[in-house]
């Protein structure tokens, strides 16, 4: 609503330098995610997830939030280890592809996570924080939903 108002008021936008922010939002919201991962990405994910298992074993219904950027395979890595996995993405295309492969995926921005406080054991946000327009706010949101002994990757 605000963006619509501002787009109709070019003078307001140029006077306050908001055009760059609007352009950035438009690109970020429409950007498509390539759903195929390269082999190196998968190798690194596998190694790191194996280390995570050592730190936070999957017993006792440990919950993982995978913030989807480039790979649906990372979701499967956590599921195969025995974690309860939820995934979010703000990208419509990634959501559409993901919901046919993985039932517990939500269309949601990482800066506004709709989960209770201290409800997650692990947050996997590989290559996603740089996509946030409010990275410090996003990190605070991660901290809010992560349990005290949780892990952010």
């Amino acid at each position: 609503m605000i963006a619509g108002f501002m787009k109709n008021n070019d003078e307001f936008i140029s006077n306050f330098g908001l055009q760059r922010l609007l352009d950035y939002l438009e690109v970020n919201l429409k950007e498509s995610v390539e759903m195929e991962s390269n082999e190196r990405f998968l190798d690194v994910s596998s190694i790191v997830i194996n280390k995570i298992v050592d730190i936070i074993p999957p017993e006792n219904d440990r919950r993982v939030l995978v913030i989807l950027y480039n790979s649906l395979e990372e979701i499967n890595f956590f599921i195969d280890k025995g974690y309860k996995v939820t995934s979010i993405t703000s990208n419509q295309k990634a959501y559409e592809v993901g919901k046919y492969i993985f039932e517990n995926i939500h269309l949601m921005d990482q800066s506004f996570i709709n989960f209770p406080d201290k409800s997650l054991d692990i947050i996997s946000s590989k290559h996603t924080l740089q996509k946030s327009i409010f990275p410090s706010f996003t990190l605070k949101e991660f901290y809010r939903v992560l349990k005290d002994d949780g892990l952010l990757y």
Side-chain angles (χ1 to χ4, degrees):
M1 185 169 139
I2 293 173
F5 166 78
M6 287 192 267
K7 282 189 175 188
N8 294 327
N9 293 281
D10 293 335
E11 185 178 336
F12 178 84
I13 291 169
S14 62
N15 286 342
F16 290 96
L18 298 176
Q19 187 61 52
R20 288 187 311 232
L21 175 61
L22 292 174
D23 291 343
Y24 177 82
L25 288 172
E26 188 170 334
V27 168
N28 249 338
L29 293 175
K30 289 183 179 180
E31 180 181 82
S32 64
V33 172
E34 184 179 321
M35 298 308 295
E36 294 183 27
S37 298
N38 67 43
E39 195 172 316
R40 192 168 94 185
F41 177 89
L42 295 177
D43 288 345
V44 170
S45 292
S46 178
I47 291 167
V48 171
I49 292 169
N50 284 329
K51 295 292 184 188
I52 289 171
V53 169
D54 293 340
I55 298 167
I56 301 181
E59 63 237 10
N60 301 323
D61 292 327
R62 297 283 194 158
R63 294 191 62 209
V64 176
L65 176 64
V66 176
I67 301 170
L68 187 59
Y69 172 68
N70 192 37
S71 172
L72 292 172
E73 289 91 347
E74 193 165 321
I75 295 169
N76 290 324
F77 285 153
F78 280 108
I79 291 172
D80 291 346
K81 296 294 183 185
Y83 294 99
K84 293 181 112 178
V85 180
T86 300
S87 183
I88 65 170
T89 181
S90 59
N91 182 283
Q92 184 69 41
K93 181 179 176 186
Y95 173 73
E96 293 298 325
V97 171
K99 73 180 181 179
Y100 291 107
I101 299 167
F102 179 67
E103 64 185 50
N104 202 7
I105 187 169
H106 305 276
L107 191 58
M108 185 183 307
D109 187 272
Q110 65 181 339
S111 297
F112 305 97
I113 301 173
N114 192 17
F115 295 111
D117 295 356
K118 310 291 182 198
S119 62
L120 300 168
D121 296 289
I122 301 166
I123 297 176
S124 176
S125 67
K126 190 162 86 176
H127 300 296
T128 61
L129 192 57
Q130 72 267 27
K131 293 291 194 179
S132 175
I133 59 170
F134 308 112
S136 61
F137 185 80
T138 301
L139 285 171
K140 287 180 184 179
E141 188 70 353
F142 289 171
Y143 178 75
R144 181 187 67 78
V145 299
L146 201 57
K147 291 181 180 177
D148 291 335
D149 62 345
L151 185 137
L152 172 61
Y153 163 57

